[in-house]
Amino acid sequence: MAMSTGGGGGPMAEINVTPLVDVMLVLLIIFMITAPLMSHKIQINLPQANPNTIDTNPPEPIDLAVKENGDLYMNDEPVTSAILEAQLRVAAQKNPQPELQIRAEKTTQYQKVAEVMAAAKRAGMVKIGFLTTGANE
């Protein structure tokens, strides 16, 4: 014998809450696991500012141009690799140390730039940067 709800085949008016309860239980378990992890405190030692320090101007950077044929120009003056390394040793001893800004042409071989960087490292330079030219130059 079949039971009839008396509706006649229309849509059910009741909401099925079983999937909602399943999702809520999963979320409850996730929050129960992660809540203790969020309350863990990390000890951080922040640096203290020294108000007595004098703000000094940074030293003028050293501009080093590497041409396509391997010619070197330090601050727009031609130099050889031996003179370059000697001048970089002197600059590396300064406090604060100036930044070496290497500017190479687009067609310069990387080997020449790598040799300049190796010479700067041997001289003790730690601040090395690269300069580029604009798209319209």
Side-chain angles (χ1 to χ4, degrees), residues 62 64 74 88 98-102 116 120 125 127-130:
I62 301 169
L64 180 64
M74 179 181 251
L88 289 178
E99 180 180 4
L100 174 63
Q101 296 178 342
I102 300 173
V116 169
M125 296 293 292
K127 297 179 181 179
I128 299 175
F130 294 97

Side-chain angles (χ1 to χ4, degrees), residues 53-74:
T53 58
I54 299 170
D55 188 21
T56 59
N57 293 334
E60 194 69 27
I62 301 169
D63 182 37
L64 180 64
V66 182
K67 300 296 181 182
E68 180 182 6
N69 59 1
D71 291 343
L72 302 173
Y73 292 88
M74 179 181 251

Side-chain angles (χ1 to χ4, degrees), residues 46-115:
L46 297 175
Q48 299 296 322
N50 188 357
N52 298 330
T53 58
I54 299 170
D55 188 21
T56 59
N57 293 334
E60 194 69 27
I62 301 169
D63 182 37
L64 180 64
V66 182
K67 300 296 181 182
E68 180 182 6
N69 59 1
D71 291 343
L72 302 173
Y73 292 88
M74 179 181 251
N75 295 330
D76 296 327
E77 295 179 13
V79 293
T80 63
S81 59
I83 294 173
L84 171 70
E85 197 161 345
Q87 289 182 351
L88 289 178
R89 275 197 193 99
V90 171
Q93 300 303 319
K94 292 181 181 176
N95 190 13
Q97 191 180 87
E99 180 180 4
L100 174 63
Q101 296 178 342
I102 300 173
R103 182 171 32 100
E105 292 181 354
K106 189 175 186 178
T107 55
T108 304
Q109 292 182 356
Y110 179 74
Q111 179 65 31
K112 294 174 182 167
V113 177
E115 290 171 0

Side-chain angles (χ1 to χ4, degrees), residues 10-81:
M12 248 178 87
E14 298 175 6
I15 297 175
N16 188 3
V17 294
T18 305
L20 176 65
V21 171
D22 291 343
V23 170
M24 294 304 291
L25 287 174
V26 169
L27 288 175
L28 178 66
I29 292 170
I30 290 172
F31 285 127
M32 287 173 57
I33 292 172
T34 58
L37 298 176
M38 292 178 11
S39 66
H40 181 68
K41 296 180 182 176
I42 298 173
Q43 185 69 18
I44 298 175
N45 296 325
L46 297 175
Q48 299 296 322
N50 188 357
N52 298 330
T53 58
I54 299 170
D55 188 21
T56 59
N57 293 334
E60 194 69 27
I62 301 169
D63 182 37
L64 180 64
V66 182
K67 300 296 181 182
E68 180 182 6
N69 59 1
D71 291 343
L72 302 173
Y73 292 88
M74 179 181 251
N75 295 330
D76 296 327
E77 295 179 13
V79 293
T80 63
S81 59

